[in-house]
C-alpha cells in the first residue's frame, strides 16, 4: 500500500505563518493583486518583509505604506476605472505622491480627495498633469529609465538605494524616500539627472532629520489650483508653497556643482 505523500511546508511558508497578520498583510495584498500563487505569495511577502526591515522608515511603517497604497488604489478603482488607470502613486511614511496624466482638472481634484480618505495619510502631493494619456511607447521608455536609475543607485556605495522609491511618467522622474543628509539626496538627484532622455527630476525626498507632517484631524479640502501645487495637511485648500525638501531639478548641461538641488521648473534639454 502506497501512502499519500504529505511534503513538509517550505521554510518560507512556515516563516510567513509566524508573522503577525498586520505585518504579512502588506506583502500579501500587493501579491494578491498581481495574482500570485500561494508559494509565490509566500516568497513575495518574505522578500518584502526583509526589504522593509532594512529601510530607514522601518518594517511597520513600510507595511502601513503598502496597505495605504492598496487602499488608495482600491478607492480609485471603485470611484472611476479611468482614474485607476491614469493615476500612479507612491506612498512613503504616510506621504502620498500622485502622478500621471488626466483629461480634466476635476480628475486631479478627485484623485487628491480619494487619497486623503485613507487613514494614516500625512500629506498628499499632487503632481498629476493635464494631457494626453500615456501610450505603449511612454510606458516602455519610462520602465527603462526606472530600471536604469535603480541600477545606478544600487551601484553607488554612498547611497542606501532601498530607502528611495522611483516612478517615471513620460520621462519625468519622481523620487521619494529618506536621505541621511543633503549630500546623499543630491547624489540621488544627480544620478537621475545624468540619465539620457530624462526630461526632469522631481524630488520629494526628505532628510532623516526633517520632521514628518502630522496626520490631520480633519482632512483638507481640495480645490483646483496650479498644476504643481501639492495639497498638504494643515489647511482647507492647496498651499502654493513647496517645502524646501521638495524640489524639481531639470536636466541641464551645467556642472553638478553649479546646479543646486533647490532649482525648480528649469527648462528641460534633451541629451
Amino acid at each position: 500500500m502506497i501512502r499519500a505523500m504529505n511534503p513538509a511546508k517550505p521554510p518560507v511558508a512556515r516563516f510567513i505563518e509566524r508573522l503577525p497578520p498586520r505585518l504579512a498583510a502588506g506583502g500579501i495584498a500587493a501579491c494578491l493583486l498581481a495574482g500570485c500563487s500561494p508559494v509565490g505569495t509566500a516568497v513575495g511577502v518574505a522578500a518584502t518583509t526583509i526589504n522593509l526591515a532594512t529601510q530607514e522608515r522601518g518594517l511597520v511603517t513600510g507595511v502601513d505604506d503598502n496597505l495605504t497604497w492598496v487602499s488608495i488604489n482600491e478607492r480609485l478603482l471603485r470611484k472611476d476605472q479611468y482614474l485607476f488607470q491614469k493615476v500612479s502613486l507612491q506612498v512613503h511614511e504616510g506621504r502620498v505622491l500622485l502622478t500621471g496624466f488626466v483629461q480634466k482638472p476635476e480628475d486631479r481634484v478627485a484623485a487628491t480627495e480619494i487619497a486623503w480618505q485613507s487613514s494614516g495619510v500625512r500629506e498628499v502631493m499632487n503632481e498629476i498633469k493635464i494631457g494626453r494619456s500615456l501610450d505603449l511607447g511612454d510606458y516602455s521608455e519610462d520602465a527603462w529609465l526606472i530600471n536604469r536609475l535603480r541600477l545606478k543607485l544600487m551601484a553607488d556605495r554612498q547611497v542606501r538605494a532601498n530607502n528611495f522609491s522611483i516612478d517615471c511618467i513620460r520621462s519625468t522622474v519622481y523620487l521619494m524616500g529618506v536621505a541621511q543628509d543633503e549630500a546623499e539626496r543630491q547624489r540621488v538627484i544627480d544620478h537621475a539627472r545624468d540619465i539620457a532622455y530624462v526630461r526632469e527630476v522631481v524630488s520629494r525626498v526628505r532628510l532623516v532629520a526633517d520632521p514628518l507632517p502630522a496626520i490631520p484631524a480633519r482632512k483638507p479640502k481640495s480645490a483646483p489650483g496650479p498644476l504643481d501645487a501639492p495639497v498638504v495637511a494643515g489647511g482647507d485648500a492647496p498651499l502654493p508653497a513647496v517645502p524646501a525638501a521638495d524640489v524639481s531639478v531639470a536636466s541641464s548641461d551645467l556642472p553638478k556643482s553649479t546646479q543646486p538641488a533647490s532649482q525648480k521648473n528649469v527648462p528641460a534639454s534633451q541629451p
Side-chain angles (χ1 to χ4, degrees), residues 4 48 51 126 136 138 148 151 160 170 174 187 218:
T48 300
N51 182 50
N126 193 332
L136 183 59
D138 294 322
R148 182 73 181 276
L151 290 174
R160 295 179 60 181
R170 196 164 284 155
Y174 298 91
R187 288 185 71 86
R218 181 166 54 93

Side-chain angles (χ1 to χ4, degrees), residues 10 40 43 70 73 75 117 147 165 177 216 245 252:
V43 173
V70 172
N73 274 293
R75 293 174 189 273
Q117 292 174 11
N147 290 333
S165 60
S252 172

